[in-house]
Amino acid sequence: MVKRALITGITGQDGAYLAKFLLEKGYEVFGTYRRLSTPNFWRLEYLGIFDKVNLIPVELSDTGSIVEALKISEPDEVYHLAAQSFVEASFESPVATGDITGLATTRILEAIRQVCLDVKFYNAATSEMFGATGFLNGGKPLSENDVFRPMSPYAAAKLYGYWITKIYREGYKIFAVNGILFNHESPLRGLEFVTRKIANEVAKIKLGLSNELRLGNLNAKRDWGYAPEYVESMWLMLQRDEPDDYVIATGEAHSVKEFAESAFEIVGLNWEDHVRVDKRFIRPLDVPHLVGDYSKAERVLGWKPRTKFNKLVEIMVREEVGRWSRWLKGERFPWDAPNYPSENRILTRALRM
Ligand code: NAP
Ligand code: G4F
């Protein structure tokens, strides 16, 4: 029997990589997306899977549309990735972040409880939930047993999602897991996140299209891994006999300054000639230090990171240099030419009537 997976947030970085991974495993893949005036399927196109996934329009604020997506896709596994995922924006829209990043997890779990109790459910939790702990413990790698001290509306919303996932697991015996993933990056990362912002701007500066990179807190340290490897861990968590929570990380912390330094070095430039600190990018509160202990994932899931910091920076910078070089020759980015999926790839409730 072909397995069926439903991914919320299939248009995001992880959603796209996970969809590709599951297609390669032989799954039938369904993904939810939100209706926008301009379609946002560039990552699916970029990975060459745009015509291979089934798309279901869903509003995460509307439980009815979530129920409908479950009925249409009849999944064996649900990967809940959709969220307002940008920490900085959560300070600007704390209530909307609470609703979409936090409460929507309950809407999905409640729909599963009512419609398909046997489904396996993955919740995208985050290292951001540890917040101040990563600093207060003297920078020791954080494990599943460490205390959460969230420092942003985003982290508070994710912590709510984390607990509600455990509550539905214990209360209703749903196979529900939390993946506590540390930062993971790739050329498909959103442009506002610091790694892609740096890689993109470094490439433009190298090619003479820009001269300056404006950043916020250069001292913050993060544990940065490579996204395609991290989505595999999501799948591994759902293949176990018992549901549990896992930290996924590389075990190394590097500062934003180190990332910038290394990125400029790759193209033969000195970061100090181009980086300027701009207070617009400094958050009301910022998690100072995050590094993860992935030993449980290695022991139980057989998962470990393969791409370490320097390689990750190189992958991201080289990809941006390639993109902007092609752009200079007249080639446009996939996101400059929005595409619409063929009709038989969009599934709506009308199909069931
Ligand atoms: P991402 O690229 O920002 O993707 C987020 C997805 O959520 C996109 O498909 C986005 O749709 C969708 N979304 C956002 N707001 C929505 C709304 N109001 N209604 C419906 N859909 C909405 O994030 P990611 O990096 O792939 O991360 C995937 C998940 O893992 C997120 O829950 C994130 O919080 C969590 N996480 C990420 C990391 C990381 O380092 N990447 C680490 C830990 C946890 P559009 O494409 O239409 O915007
Ligand atoms: O790239 P960031 O915006 O990622 P952040 O805040 O760590 O959140 C990401 O990772 C979380 C996992 O821990 C996810 F849950 C979350 O969804 C997201 O994927 O910022 C990283 C660091 C921060 O300390 C920030 O203050 O970089 C610092 N920074 C310095 N200058 C900047 C900038 N961040 C951004 N986005 N833009 C800057 O100009």
Side-chain angles (χ1 to χ4, degrees):
M1 276 278 281
V2 171
K3 276 203 181 175
R4 298 158 74 92
L6 176 66
I7 303 172
T8 71
I10 197 168
T11 55
Q13 170 189 260
D14 290 5
Y17 281 123
L18 179 63
K20 182 165 191 284
F21 175 84
L22 293 173
L23 285 167
E24 284 164 3
K25 287 244 167 256
Y27 278 66
E28 173 131 28
V29 176
F30 298 80
T32 75
Y33 71 101
R34 52 176 163 171
R35 280 202 184 85
L36 298 169
S37 61
T38 309
N40 173 29
F41 298 115
W42 70 270
R43 293 183 176 92
L44 299 176
E45 286 185 66
Y46 203 81
L47 296 179
I49 57 169
F50 182 49
D51 293 324
K52 301 192 172 91
V53 294
N54 303 290
L55 297 163
I56 310 175
V58 164
E59 281 297 330
L60 285 178
S61 53
D62 183 335
T63 308
S65 82
I66 296 169
V67 168
E68 203 54 43
L70 289 172
K71 288 187 174 169
I72 289 170
S73 57
E74 296 179 349
D76 300 290
E77 297 169 8
V78 172
Y79 296 87
H80 175 41
L81 309 184
Q84 190 303 91
S85 75
F86 189 32
V87 174
E88 199 173 309
S90 77
F91 287 99
E92 281 144 32
S93 311
V95 176
T97 302
D99 186 53
I100 296 303
T101 303
L103 202 53
T105 312
T106 311
R107 293 192 189 103
I108 295 174
L109 281 163
E110 187 51 23
I112 287 174
R113 187 183 74 79
Q114 292 182 23
V115 175
C116 47
L117 257 181
D118 290 340
V119 124
K120 288 186 167 184
F121 175 79
Y122 173 89
N123 179 50
T126 165
S127 52
E128 187 72 13
M129 300 185 309
F130 290 116
T133 303
F135 174 71
L136 294 174
N137 75 0
K140 278 208 304 285
L142 296 152
S143 80
E144 296 78 5
N145 303 320
D146 277 294
V147 177
F148 298 122
R149 292 190 178 90
M151 291 177 70
S152 63
Y154 167 80
K158 280 285 184 187
L159 194 51
Y160 170 80
Y162 166 89
W163 279 113
I164 205 75
T165 299
K166 279 171 102 73
I167 287 165
Y168 271 65
R169 171 162 88 211
E170 285 160 26
Y172 301 118
K173 309 295 174 224
I174 291 175
F175 190 111
V177 309
N178 284 297
I180 307 173
L181 273 55
F182 282 63
N183 299 51
H184 45 280
E185 318 294 316
S186 75
L188 298 191
R189 198 44 152 149
L191 259 177
E192 70 271 56
F193 297 94
V194 78
T195 56
R196 173 102 194 280
K197 177 175 171 178
I198 293 172
N200 180 59
E201 215 53 38
V202 163
K204 286 169 74 179
I205 291 170
K206 177 66 184 172
L207 295 170
L209 295 164
S210 174
N211 191 41
E212 200 175 70
L213 167 59
R214 290 180 169 264
L215 294 172
N217 180 6
L218 298 179
N219 297 321
K221 289 195 165 180
R222 291 290 183 273
D223 179 332
W224 280 297
Y226 187 40
E229 293 166 13
Y230 281 46
V231 299
E232 182 175 0
S233 76
M234 300 174 183
W235 177 78
L236 285 169
M237 288 177 214
L238 294 195
Q239 308 316 305
R240 303 290 306 160
D241 291 335
E242 295 299 326
D244 204 348
D245 305 328
Y246 298 90
V247 159
I248 299 296
T250 71
E252 279 182 26
H254 295 273
S255 66
V256 172
K257 187 181 108 178
E258 280 172 80
F259 197 105
E261 202 170 357
S262 169
F264 277 100
E265 220 170 84
I266 286 165
V267 296
L269 296 173
N270 181 352
W271 73 281
E272 283 168 306
D273 295 338
H274 301 280
V275 172
R276 304 283 172 267
V277 172
D278 185 330
K279 64 175 194 249
R280 281 178 304 166
F281 302 111
I282 293 183
R283 300 169 186 181
L285 280 176
D286 196 18
V287 175
H289 190 122
L290 285 177
V291 58
D293 170 357
Y294 62 88
S295 53
K296 177 177 171 186
E298 184 170 24
R299 194 177 66 251
V300 181
L301 305 175
W303 182 92
K304 62 178 183 182
R306 298 186 292 276
T307 306
K308 292 294 180 82
F309 180 74
N310 285 328
K311 184 68 192 164
L312 174 69
V313 182
E314 193 184 333
I315 290 171
M316 293 186 71
V317 171
R318 297 226 182 278
E319 180 74 15
E320 296 297 337
V321 171
R323 283 176 186 171
W324 282 107
S325 305
R326 294 196 296 278
W327 188 86
L328 280 171
K329 289 182 192 143
E331 191 182 308
R332 288 297 166 254
F333 297 135
W335 49 98
D336 288 333
N339 206 348
Y340 292 85
S342 65
E343 276 171 15
N344 59 5
R345 286 281 167 203
I346 299 186
L347 308 179
T348 66
R349 63 187 310 149
L351 283 173
R352 298 200 316 112
M353 286 159 60

